[in-house]
Amino acid sequence: MLFKVEMTVNIPYGMPANEIEEIKSREKAYSQQLQRDGKWRHIWRIAGLYANVSIFDVDDAEELHQILMALPLYPFMDIRIEALCRHPSSIHSNDR
Amino acid sequence: MLFKVEMTVNIPYGMPANEIEEIKSREKAYSQQLQRDGKWRHIWRIAGLYANVSIFDVDDAEELHQILMALPLYPFMDIRIEALCRHPSSIHSNDR
Amino acid sequence: MLFKVEMTVNIPYGMPANEIEEIKSREKAYSQQLQRDGKWRHIWRIAGLYANVSIFDVDDAEELHQILMALPLYPFMDIRIEALCRHPSSIHSNDR
Amino acid sequence: MLFKVEMTVNIPYGMPANEIEEIKSREKAYSQQLQRDGKWRHIWRIAGLYANVSIFDVDDAEELHQILMALPLYPFMDIRIEALCRHPSSIHSNDR
Amino acid sequence: MLFKVEMTVNIPYGMPANEIEEIKSREKAYSQQLQRDGKWRHIWRIAGLYANVSIFDVDDAEELHQILMALPLYPFMDIRIEALCRHPSSIHSNDR
Amino acid sequence: MLFKVEMTVNIPYGMPANEIEEIKSREKAYSQQLQRDGKWRHIWRIAGLYANVSIFDVDDAEELHQILMALPLYPFMDIRIEALCRHPSSIHSNDR
Amino acid sequence: MLFKVEMTVNIPYGMPANEIEEIKSREKAYSQQLQRDGKWRHIWRIAGLYANVSIFDVDDAEELHQILMALPLYPFMDIRIEALCRHPSSIHSNDR
Amino acid sequence: MLFKVEMTVNIPYGMPANEIEEIKSREKAYSQQLQRDGKWRHIWRIAGLYANVSIFDVDDAEELHQILMALPLYPFMDIRIEALCRHPSSIHSNDR
Amino acid sequence: MLFKVEMTVNIPYGMPANEIEEIKSREKAYSQQLQRDGKWRHIWRIAGLYANVSIFDVDDAEELHQILMALPLYPFMDIRIEALCRHPSSIHSNDR
Amino acid sequence: MLFKVEMTVNIPYGMPANEIEEIKSREKAYSQQLQRDGKWRHIWRIAGLYANVSIFDVDDAEELHQILMALPLYPFMDIRIEALCRHPSSIHSNDR
């Protein structure tokens, strides 16, 4: 099942630089593992913003929730979610 | 170049049913041609809404503009657009 | 899979009364059949508004979409949707 | 009497982890006691968010107020409330 | 039980003047009957707007809903509702 | 002259508990004195929120301003104000 | 007593031109009479918009309400109102 | 040239009282000098809020900008600006 | 003096096609004359929208107002305006 | 390719003055280099605000992203971006 997730990151002023780098590093590794697993199908940067548009391919909302709550940057994210389904005009039977 | 486009359709009350069907039919054909051309990379239905999330792969903003203005349903759409670029955490060199 | 759906109905001014009644009658029958099928688990009126809060229990987003698009009042509704999952503090293993 | 309550939790940056855990632990115990008492009828997680949708079944607005103000996480919550009543299309005489 | 209700009236352009007057006349009679019954405790005009702030004193949300849905001007109103309870700083034990 | 005032209180995280209590205590005494003086005609709690709906009966906007600016909790309040006048459907000649 | 009133005019599409002109003509005469009476102290056009910022000097909210409701363009206006009082930094004892 | 400027002041929690007083004192002196110079034509308090509505009479946008950026309270202000011009219904040829 | 103006066009459903074309044609001629006069310095299409971002170089707010009110498409436009001035980081002494 | 970028700066309360000055100094140098390179075509101050409207002329969204993320003030900016293209009414074949 597909979900579009938009994440915007807001790092609090005064957070130590090495702490930020350590979290970002864990975030990247975590994201890439999920991409390799086929759960995080797409991730695009929104131009000019510390934000992304992502497509997740998960079993259900529960799995999506567990994945997002484990994001190292989650406490600093504003997140918007929409469930997707196949569009009747799509030329693909299963566009993921 | 990639753009995320979200389209929400609002058909005016009182529009004749056959006129609606004719426009929708042209919209579908137009969308599918652009998908076959590789310009309209993804189109997903937002669950429960007469709306979609799409990814366009165009030469530039001008081409995106010409494509969208020619949508048969354009006069009845609310449209939101964001330019995308590669995300540094993506495992793909060119995720389209 | 559970979704919370909030529906607000806006009948256009000038719509003939018998047409409204006919649509509402079909809406009620349709809703009650889905309730009997276990798909539309809860429906509550929001006090003072021509609006409801509903809980749907469907296979996936696709089924939710098909159910909502077939609502006789759909063209006159403003709809907001959120995917739900089990809350870790719930005393029920499967609260539907 | 039924109320739909939506709670979104925002933990301030810099709050000590053990203080957070202690509050969450009290929140869970408090919520579960109210669920066993039949006051907090439903609680669902909104997928991907540190937020829930809940249905309360209370004597009146006063009781709802006392319950919510005593939530251990209340100072960190954004709360939205709507009073509910039976929907005329419900197949249940008293859906709680 | 008390509810604050704010009603803003929007008469559609083109509605016949005598039809408007007839509805307003019924609205006034209906409101005044409810005031005499003690259900509609207060009604104030918001200065400069075709809008009011009202306090209703009803048995429960169901009664509030029935009262509001029967307002002759209801189809032309934008309505916002909040449940009230006694304020701990009030010098009245039961301010209605 | 009547004004509806809605006050929502936001206590900053980290404010010492005894400081909060001292301010709340002064707020309550101040509010009750104004109620006894007939200036603060009504105060209701909005159910579930740290917020109130109040009706002030003052000589003019200047007096309202002086009263509100002297609220001990004023620095922590979000305030919305609307001037009221008699509603033509009111059965009272002077509902305060 | 002073009120700032902001009025934005929205003429419905399809309203006959002579009807519009007749209403605007009455609006202008009405506004100028109130200006000569000292009730409508200031009226400025917001540059580029069919909108104005006005300062009214009235006995109370009731008088403001009667003045605004009698505006010939009132049915086509979006109106925002704020009560004003003397600013402690003003060099005028009574700036109207 | 006239501009309407609305300023809302938000003092950060924890700012030392003497620092606040010193800034307010400078703000008042600065505002009064500009009023005497005829640049700051009107300043009114918005009743109940730590906010004002002001009318500036400046040579151009550049002068307005320099004046506002030099406000001692500027770092704590939320500011909204609209350019004004003569209203065709004004009875004054030059209402400042 | 410079102003940034953003215009979004909304053509009412049902407006005759030849009437639309005639207005658009007059709009284009009017815009181009103002561009040649140096009043309308820049006009860019916002990609994908029936909207533009423009920079006007006018004597004052009054001239801007007269120019905008005379736009043939004005009745169908949503307009947002901001006054501009030289940026201290600009490498141009007068960037128009 | 052109983008309109609007940047609003919010300096956190308590940030040391010399740190602010150092960042602003770097911001200015960085902006001026990009202007000399022809990438940052226009920068205007929004009158009265610590904000600017800018036009960027870049190869693609990726280049825009890299430029904006390197702004020394980026962590304190609220940024809004829109892709632009040639307007059919422009008298210039390539207005940059």
Side-chain angles (χ1 to χ4, degrees), chain E residues 4 6 35 44 47 83 89 95, chain F residues 4 6 35 42 44 47 83 95:
Chain E
K4 182 197 71 165
E6 300 197 13
Q35 290 177 65
W44 294 288
S89 294
D95 180 4
Chain F
K4 181 197 72 164
E6 300 197 12
Q35 290 177 65
H42 301 281
W44 294 288
D95 180 4

Side-chain angles (χ1 to χ4, degrees), chain J residues 31-90:
Chain J
S31 167
Q32 294 189 333
Q33 184 58 50
L34 285 160
Q35 290 177 66
R36 282 189 294 267
D37 294 346
K39 295 294 179 186
W40 196 326
R41 303 290 302 186
H42 300 281
I43 177 169
W44 294 288
R45 178 62 80 206
I46 301 178
L49 302 184
Y50 192 0
N52 70 69
V53 177
S54 292
I55 306 292
F56 284 85
D57 183 4
V58 291
D59 293 342
D60 52 21
E62 178 64 29
E63 189 182 27
L64 177 73
H65 188 71
Q66 296 308 328
I67 286 173
L68 295 180
M69 294 306 277
L71 289 165
L73 281 169
Y74 187 86
F76 313 115
M77 281 177 170
D78 176 43
I79 286 190
R80 288 168 43 199
I81 297 171
E82 284 173 299
L84 303 180
C85 45
R86 188 180 175 274
H87 194 285
S89 295
S90 177

Side-chain angles (χ1 to χ4, degrees), chain A residues 6-82:
Chain A
E6 301 198 11
M7 312 177 196
T8 302
V9 180
N10 299 288
I11 302 291
Y13 174 66
M15 192 169 168
N18 62 332
E19 189 178 338
I20 298 172
E21 287 316 304
E22 188 271 339
I23 292 178
K24 285 186 182 177
S25 172
R26 282 195 288 127
E27 178 85 12
K28 185 171 186 171
Y30 178 74
S31 168
Q32 294 190 333
Q33 183 58 49
L34 285 160
Q35 291 177 65
R36 283 189 293 268
D37 295 346
K39 295 294 179 185
W40 197 326
R41 302 291 301 185
H42 300 281
I43 178 169
W44 295 288
R45 177 63 80 205
I46 301 178
L49 303 183
Y50 192 0
N52 70 70
V53 177
S54 292
I55 305 293
F56 284 86
D57 183 5
V58 291
D59 293 342
D60 52 21
E62 178 65 28
E63 190 182 25
L64 177 72
H65 187 71
Q66 297 307 328
I67 285 173
L68 295 180
M69 295 305 278
L71 288 166
L73 281 168
Y74 187 87
F76 312 115
M77 280 178 170
D78 177 42
I79 286 190
R80 289 168 42 199
I81 297 170
E82 284 173 299

Side-chain angles (χ1 to χ4, degrees), chain H residues 6-87:
Chain H
E6 301 197 12
M7 310 176 198
T8 302
V9 181
N10 299 289
I11 303 291
Y13 175 66
M15 192 168 167
N18 62 333
E19 188 179 337
I20 299 174
E21 286 317 303
E22 189 270 339
I23 292 178
K24 285 186 183 178
S25 171
R26 282 194 289 125
E27 177 86 13
K28 186 172 186 170
Y30 178 74
S31 167
Q32 293 189 333
Q33 184 57 51
L34 285 161
Q35 290 178 65
R36 281 189 294 267
D37 295 346
K39 295 294 179 185
W40 197 325
R41 303 292 300 187
H42 300 281
I43 178 170
W44 294 288
R45 178 61 82 206
I46 300 178
L49 302 184
Y50 191 1
N52 70 69
V53 177
S54 291
I55 305 292
F56 284 85
D57 183 4
V58 291
D59 293 341
D60 51 22
E62 179 64 29
E63 190 181 27
L64 177 72
H65 187 71
Q66 297 308 329
I67 286 172
L68 295 180
M69 294 305 277
L71 288 166
L73 280 168
Y74 186 86
F76 313 114
M77 280 179 172
D78 175 42
I79 286 190
R80 287 168 43 199
I81 298 172
E82 285 173 300
L84 303 179
C85 45
R86 188 181 175 274
H87 194 285

